[in-house]
Amino acid sequence: MSSVDTRLRFPHLPPGAKVLFGGLAAASKPVEDLTISEWADRYREVSAESGSPWPGRFRTDRVPYLREPQDCLHPDHPARRVTARWAAQLGKSTAIENWFGYIVDRAPGPMMIVLPTLEEATKFNRVKLDPTITASKAWSH
């Protein structure tokens, strides 16, 4: 089949040069250098199903003590270990969700979230992670 035959069979397809140069232009665009907290403020949506008292756009200024620990999770940060030792229900899962979203959107690579039991992992996925992914349209494509 010649290129002319292909054009006739698929007239709705854009010309190859347009696709190629459009892809090169998109790949050449500089990526914003954001911390994880800046990324979360810009792209994270909190699902109403998560049980959060603040569904909608995530705002780090509501939990300012999370800024430093989650920013230390950035792939370019010199810290190699981050330890969070504070009371229950104060945002550790939120920091993990923000970190997960950042990695998915900006620095794709392997990641594993480990919880003590299969039941806890299932609950975290159902109650926290999946609703966050669904609500955050900017990075859940």
Side-chain angles (χ1 to χ4, degrees):
M1 179 181 293
S2 73
S3 63
V4 174
D5 294 336
T6 304
R7 277 268 135 236
L8 293 174
R9 285 189 66 196
F10 304 101
H12 62 283
L13 293 177
K18 183 176 180 180
V19 172
L20 174 66
F21 291 117
L24 288 171
S28 301
K29 262 177 57 177
V31 176
E32 291 175 288
D33 189 21
L34 300 173
T35 64
I36 292 175
S37 60
E38 290 169 337
W39 177 89
D41 288 343
R42 205 171 287 177
Y43 299 109
R44 164 104 192 264
E45 294 289 332
V46 178
S47 168
E49 293 86 38
S50 71
S52 171
W54 303 298
R57 178 75 63 182
F58 181 82
R59 291 185 19 216
T60 303
D61 63 355
R62 288 186 180 133
V63 284
Y65 54 87
L66 287 183
R67 185 177 312 277
E68 183 179 8
Q70 70 184 3
D71 287 348
C72 289
L73 296 169
H74 192 284
D76 293 336
H77 194 278
R80 291 293 134 231
R81 179 178 295 190
V82 177
T83 304
R85 296 174 71 177
W86 62 77
Q89 299 297 312
L90 288 178
K92 291 178 291 295
S93 294
T94 299
I96 291 168
E97 294 161 31
N98 291 343
W99 181 32
F100 177 84
Y102 180 91
I103 296 300
V104 167
D105 188 45
R106 297 293 168 126
M111 182 172 201
M112 179 173 24
I113 299 172
V114 178
L115 292 152
T117 66
L118 180 58
E119 291 78 24
E120 288 293 319
T122 302
K123 181 181 173 186
F124 178 77
N125 186 54
R126 183 176 37 82
V127 175
K128 302 279 189 180
L129 198 54
D130 190 49
T132 296
I133 292 168
T134 302
S136 300
K137 301 294 184 213
W139 55 277
S140 63
H141 43 269

